Amino acid sequence: RGSTKAMIDWPNVTESSNEELGLKPEELRRSKCVLGFFPVIYYSVLLCVGVPVNILTAVALCRLAARTKKALYYYLLAVTGSDILSQLFIIFVGFLLETAVFHRDVPTLLLHVVSAAEFAANHASIWSTVPLTVDRYVALCHPLLHRQISYPARARKIIAAVLVLSLASGVPFFWWSDVWRDSHPPTSLDAVLIWTHVTIIYFLPCSIFLVLNSLIIHTLRIRQRQQPCQEERGPPRRLGKTTAMLMALTSMFSVLWAPRTVVVIYHLYVSSVHQDWRVHLAYDLSNMLAMLNTAVNFFLYCFVSRPFRGAVRDIMLLRGGPLHPGRALPQQQAPTNASISSLYSGNNKRSQRDSTPLSPRRNRKPS
């Protein structure tokens, strides 16, 4: 086999094979990556920015979870941890090491093992958002039930089940074809794997997001109509931020992963990545958009959540927050009647603390 060229500037087939097959120059140009070194620069920047901010997000969420003991933070922590795994396996190992550095000139077995690990991390990153969506739906639409079934121990069991299933779902993709370099048309096995992939990472989770988010919006609209009769219970304005975060999180995923889903199906039925440089370009760009989804949640949390911003500020200033509720000062503990929409109820908790009367012991004057 001829010497392996850089995957960025050269065709996906070797020069010797080109001469044997008698391919024309215009046919060779169709399989080039026209983006040049831009993918390497893009993924390097994404990795250098995404991993640190996700680690910072994980530390902040760990503090908030230990401080409040709310299941919501554990689900957000699972999403962040899965994003870190996706960045390490897909971006660092898959795109940068295997492709840009070694030009995929590594043992075939290692390529397939890494491929299975990439898909497992990808599935975990996406499906960790599903329990979060279900938890928010129950919290907003069935608050009494939410108080009974949503607690940290159950959240940890659900997260563990999601991670185990994600790991198992990555095993079949050990046989995933290298769409950039395989010159043969997609086989029946490729078709099964591609449809399994797009169903797991896009169609099924997006359907769940669409149904649950629609029910949440419908419930909130009904409450808004009934609000004049329920003013004594307090306006549910805090739920707006929770809903906004959930909608933004799921909408970003749907938008950023849609191009890759379309391109993969197009590759299967119309023209392959190896044969058409335009499909190759679309596949590269769609992968970049999809991986961007692993690095944007930190900025969303900072924009929406005051408690999260406070936790990040404490970490950046090296302030030690109370990691165990039992060790926290009384004025730092959340009241027992705090809102179940916890991530965005920092101001509500503060107002409740200010308005809570002192205990009988504090009110008792010395005789």
Side-chain angles (χ1 to χ4, degrees):
R1 185 176 178 179
S3 59
T4 306
K5 303 296 183 181
M7 65 96 182
I8 300 169
D9 296 327
W10 298 93
N12 293 331
V13 290
T14 59
E15 294 180 0
S16 59
S17 62
N18 297 337
E19 295 175 358
E20 294 173 1
L21 296 176
L23 297 178
K24 298 179 181 180
E26 60 269 21
E27 293 175 334
L28 296 179
R29 284 194 294 269
R30 290 187 303 178
S31 60
K32 286 184 179 180
C33 177
V34 299
L35 293 177
F37 282 94
F38 179 74
V40 177
I41 299 173
Y42 174 84
Y43 287 123
S44 299
V45 173
L46 188 62
L47 190 69
C48 292
V49 174
V51 172
V53 299
N54 277 332
I55 292 176
L56 180 59
T57 302
V59 175
L61 291 174
C62 281
R63 289 194 173 194
L64 292 173
R67 190 180 304 166
T68 62
K69 295 297 182 182
K70 293 184 181 296
L72 175 62
Y73 294 110
Y74 290 89
Y75 292 125
L76 293 174
L77 187 59
V79 173
T80 304
S82 301
D83 286 341
I84 294 175
L85 291 178
S86 296
Q87 290 171 339
L88 293 179
F89 281 108
I90 299 177
I91 299 178
F92 180 68
V93 178
F95 285 113
L96 295 180
L97 283 184
E98 280 189 352
T99 307
V101 176
F102 297 107
H103 315 306
R104 302 186 76 82
D105 189 14
V106 296
T108 304
L109 177 62
L110 180 60
L111 286 177
H112 289 293
V113 171
V114 172
S115 176
E118 290 174 352
F119 280 96
N122 185 16
H123 297 168
S125 177
I126 293 170
W127 278 89
S128 295
T129 313
V130 174
L132 171 65
T133 308
V134 174
D135 181 80
R136 291 298 87 199
Y137 162 75
V138 177
L140 295 173
C141 301
H142 306 282
L144 297 179
L145 178 62
H146 182 265
R147 294 181 182 180
Q148 298 175 1
I149 67 174
S150 180
Y151 48 88
R154 174 168 289 180
R156 288 192 293 266
K157 292 179 181 179
I158 294 175
I159 292 168
V162 170
L163 294 179
V164 170
L165 291 176
S166 299
L167 179 62
S169 67
V171 173
F173 295 93
F174 177 89
W175 293 274
W176 180 267
S177 297
D178 190 344
V179 297
W180 283 290
R181 287 163 178 79
D182 287 346
S183 57
H184 60 78
T187 63
S188 299
L189 177 61
D190 294 332
V192 172
L193 290 177
I194 286 176
W195 275 109
T196 303
H197 174 59
V198 296
T199 301
I200 292 176
I201 62 101
Y202 195 77
F203 292 125
L204 188 55
C206 282
S207 299
I208 296 174
F209 297 153
L210 178 62
V211 171
L212 295 182
N213 289 342
S214 300
L215 292 174
I216 290 173
I217 294 176
H218 177 69
T219 302
L220 293 179
R221 286 180 177 176
I222 293 177
R223 290 182 183 177
Q224 189 175 10
R225 297 192 192 102
Q226 299 174 348
Q227 187 174 347
C229 301
Q230 300 176 345
E231 291 182 353
E232 67 277 3
R233 296 169 56 184
R237 295 178 182 177
R238 300 298 175 189
L239 299 180
K241 286 191 174 182
T242 305
T243 307
M245 183 278 296
L246 182 62
M247 300 300 173
L249 202 64
T250 55
S251 298
M252 278 193 305
F253 162 76
S254 302
V255 171
L256 294 177
W257 276 91
R260 187 180 187 280
T261 304
V262 173
V263 172
V264 168
I265 297 176
Y266 189 90
H267 158 80
L268 178 61
Y269 290 108
V270 182
S271 181
S272 69
V273 173
H274 179 271
Q275 295 177 353
D276 194 335
W277 67 268
R278 292 166 295 185
V279 183
H280 193 152
L281 174 62
Y283 194 70
D284 288 340
L285 292 176
S286 63
N287 281 330
M288 294 179 189
L289 285 177
M291 288 299 100
L292 182 63
N293 188 63
T294 64
V296 296
N297 290 345
F298 170 82
F299 305 100
L300 173 64
Y301 300 158
C302 285
F303 179 75
V304 174
S305 171
R306 178 173 294 181
F308 181 81
R309 291 196 301 269
V312 171
R313 182 171 58 250
D314 290 341
I315 295 170
M316 298 298 292
L317 298 178
L318 302 180
R319 298 174 183 172
L323 297 181
H324 300 281
R327 300 179 185 176
L329 296 176
Q331 61 269 23
Q332 291 174 324
Q333 296 178 355
T336 56
N337 60 341
S339 170
I340 58 176
S341 57
S342 55
L343 182 60
Y344 311 100
S345 58
N347 292 336
N348 187 33
K349 291 179 180 180
R350 187 176 296 108
S351 62
Q352 288 177 355
R353 288 198 300 267
D354 295 339
S355 61
T356 301
L358 296 176
S359 62
R361 291 185 178 179
R362 295 181 181 177
N363 286 333
R364 187 180 303 163
K365 296 181 181 181
S367 55

